Amino acid sequence: MKAVIAETTGAQALKNPARRRVLKTGGLAIAFVFVGGVGKAAAALNARRQPGDAAAALADGNPPFAPNAFIRIDADGSVRLVMPSVEMGQAIYTGSSMMLAEELGVGIDQIKVAHAPPSEELYSMPLLGGQITGGSTSTRGTWQVLREAGAVARTMLVSAAASQWKVEPATCTVERGVVYHLASARQLSFAALAVAAGKLPMPDKVQLKDPKDFKLIGQPLRRVDSADKVIGATQFGLDVRVPGMKVATVKACPTLNGKLRSVDDKAALAIPGVIAVLRIADAVAVVGEHFWAAKKGLDALKIEWDLGSNAGLTTQKLRDALAKSSLDGASLIAKEVGTRPPGKLVEATYQLPMLAHATMEPLNTTVHVTADKCEIWVGTQVPTRAVAAAAQITGLAPEKIELHNQYLGGGFGRRLETDSVEQAVMFAKQVPFPLKVVWSREEDIRHDRVRPMYHDRISAVLGDDGLPQWLGDRTSGGTVLGRWAPGGMRKNGIDADAVECLEETPYGIPNTKIEWVRHDMPEGLVVGWWRGVGPTHNLFVLESFIDELAVVAKQNPLDYRRAMLKNNPRSLAVLNLAAEKIGWGDKPLPPRVGRGIALGEPFGSRVCAIIEVEVTPQGEVKLLRAVLALDCGIAINTSSIEAQMQGGLVFGLSAALFNKITIKDGAIEQSNFHDYRTLRIHETPPIELYRVESAEPPGGLGEVGTAIAAPALANAIFAATGVRLHELPVDRARLVEDAKALKKVVSAEQAQIRSAS
């Protein structure tokens, strides 16, 4: 994979305050809707001491200097950052270390990172209302507070040195963990100052650096966890080893909402290394001295299942019910501006499938339950929710639940759920030893909490100039929020995630009506957050439809978008940058080669993707090139930006090209990477990333590439073949070349688009 990173200055993009509103609201719907879903309101992160800080510091070794929940400076001067977010491959440990180190006055190499313990009081993310990592909010939520936390600590350390030297603090400087007084050539290390600084009161105000003075922020720094990962020292959940631990693997009822009826375990118990067979209401686990023994034992079980009420459920039945809700269901209005004027009406229907998460590290949890304590080792995006679930199952008080968070081998929203933790605790209650419960890849996919399927009926009225004067979308689908955090639903019952990036678009469309029809899945088919959440669904619908409108208007899709972005300079800048870098319109493309544009403002960032594809006569899609233009506000680590945009795009392209979760006889059909696959290296296009330099606060990154991938791909396929894809994943049968059919489909307007791009 090749990546090209470049920067361009978009000064005019900073001048329009009307567009700044989108940075505050657009892409944050998932963040705000979490609030209220995790019990009583939680305190947000704070750079000053909080009531719970003393106990937390004591449990963390009682360092001499612990000015807030994030910084620990030990007697030897070593600096620890207690991370409010979890690391699941998005490099947030590096970005957070950079923000703190920038203001504290140390090098990033001088910081050791520690997982935060479960604590809503100390580590509740301001944009999520809980100790939660998700929604591309980590940098946005800590941008101010982590820098302020570093500045608070620096101010106190400087004050301690200045007091000892009897000089003004303003005459002192800090560099790499040492306070200097240049006028007298004196210096003191953080180690020498830690005790004295720890006794000082909190400063009322601190001065943060001007961005022009940043030394770390904005640089392409190596990740703080890379070295340990290279030598295999990083501990993920699967790596946990506890004295006396045994290993279990599980099999749950294959049908959704089914139950366990009976188990014949004689053959399993006869296998060397098998220790026990455990049962809960809907699953069975075999415990072994090691995983292979447990796996062999599981395969030897003779299980009878009660398949339950969903035994006859199929994907088609789900799809038909969703389509019926779209037509007949009561809709809720998310946004309505103006009324639909007379004019040329263009309509389309889009359908998106259920999707699995398929993280690289399958789900696993290690649990040791005793009479008065439950200890858990797991990688989770929601540590306090996991603690609450374990407390409910064991009957122990929450303070008796000790959770050790680990590095996550991918999250993508799957580890926002606690179902695997709950299952592990139920099994661990039945044995006296620590128990590691590991889901196989097949178990992981077949019992995923899937991304909902969606059904959209979108329409627009075009004016005399061909531009939309009214945009309407009626989206139907399930609600993750309604289950996960029902208190976060809007007062009128709207799940904001269902309409995110449709309510607020980049374009100057004067009249809109965005509505949502809630359609709950059958009991047992649980839907969950999936990387890119609402924007991944809605940007595919919107940006594909914008291309449809351009065809009707007989306009080039690039110029068509430009005409609607006259009052949105930030998004216009990324659109123009992407078009320039790919050479849009420089020369005609060969037959069955096309380029597709997609533009969006997800998660507080601005992004444009242009993808170039070739569609073979057999209908196979070859990805030739991908150009991304990005305005993510102030860049923290430009190297991480590159990695996140690459990874997000590949994740989104993989889903769009190959993947869907289907149901047959009440069970998920897919099971592993052979039928739920990702792009191979040789299939992945060169990815070029160009960044607009910006002074706006940082936007999100982890899901931006995923959200913009599918519409750019679909529009490229249309430009190459004239086939408009209203469903995902890509149906290759529709792309097979047929000279007669192709001649009828590819109109003069479509040929003009292909030539111009």
Side-chain angles (χ1 to χ4, degrees), residues 250 362-363 414 419-420 423 437-441 443-444 447:
V250 303
L363 295 178
R414 183 61 180 96
D419 54 318
S420 61
Q423 185 194 74
V437 179
V438 180
W439 291 23
S440 67
R441 174 66 61 194
E443 190 75 8
D444 196 4
H447 294 88

Side-chain angles (χ1 to χ4, degrees), residues 3 111 177 218 336 393 457 524 622 680:
I111 291 181
E336 187 167 16
I393 293 168
R457 295 159 56 206
K622 294 183 178 180
R680 274 62 166 180

Side-chain angles (χ1 to χ4, degrees), residues 444-567:
D444 196 4
I445 290 179
R446 286 176 174 156
H447 294 88
D448 200 349
R449 295 194 161 180
V450 296
R451 198 278 301 271
M453 60 169 54
Y454 295 100
H455 187 104
D456 280 75
R457 295 159 56 206
I458 190 168
S459 54
V461 173
L462 304 187
D464 294 339
D465 57 0
L467 299 178
Q469 301 304 302
W470 177 87
L471 176 73
D473 184 73
R474 183 181 172 98
T475 183
S476 306
T479 169
V480 183
L481 185 65
R483 167 189 64 85
W484 202 91
M489 301 284 275
R490 292 182 186 171
K491 291 181 179 180
N492 65 350
I494 287 280
D495 178 349
D497 178 59
V499 293
E500 188 173 353
C501 286
L502 281 170
E503 279 186 300
E504 299 288 343
T505 77
Y507 306 113
I509 302 174
N511 305 293
T512 59
K513 183 179 182 180
I514 308 300
E515 49 190 326
W516 174 58
V517 177
R518 176 171 177 166
H519 178 86
D520 293 325
M521 292 286 111
E523 186 177 359
L525 177 50
V526 182
V527 295
W529 308 111
W530 189 84
R531 186 177 186 180
V533 289
T536 303
H537 150 232
N538 292 321
L539 285 177
F540 171 70
V541 173
L542 176 65
E543 285 300 291
S544 298
F545 189 60
I546 292 295
D547 256 41
E548 289 198 68
L549 298 181
V551 170
V552 173
K554 300 182 180 180
Q555 296 184 30
N556 182 288
L558 173 63
D559 294 334
Y560 194 74
R561 286 175 171 84
R562 281 172 172 161
M564 293 188 288
L565 292 170
K566 294 177 180 177
N567 296 318

Side-chain angles (χ1 to χ4, degrees), residues 380-455:
T380 176
Q381 295 172 245
V382 285
T384 54
R385 288 177 74 106
V387 166
Q392 185 175 16
I393 293 168
T394 61
L396 296 169
E399 56 267 24
K400 297 295 184 180
I401 311 296
E402 186 175 348
L403 185 142
H404 310 276
N405 215 349
Q406 309 295 312
Y407 280 89
L408 282 62
F412 313 138
R414 183 61 180 96
R415 287 178 164 93
L416 285 168
E417 304 290 347
T418 60
D419 54 318
S420 61
V421 177
E422 295 163 22
Q423 185 194 74
V425 173
M426 285 188 278
F427 283 128
K429 283 178 62 180
Q430 303 177 42
V431 296
F433 42 77
L435 184 67
K436 177 189 282 188
V437 179
V438 180
W439 291 23
S440 67
R441 174 66 61 194
E442 290 77 10
E443 190 75 8
D444 196 4
I445 290 179
R446 286 176 174 156
H447 294 88
D448 200 349
R449 295 194 161 180
V450 296
R451 198 278 301 271
M453 60 169 54
Y454 295 100
H455 187 104

Side-chain angles (χ1 to χ4, degrees), residues 248 260 263 265 276-280 283-287 301 426-428 430-431 433 435:
L260 176 64
V263 180
D265 58 11
V277 177
L278 310 177
R279 300 159 176 82
I280 58 175
V284 59
V286 175
V287 181
L301 292 177
M426 285 188 278
F427 283 128
Q430 303 177 42
V431 296
F433 42 77
L435 184 67

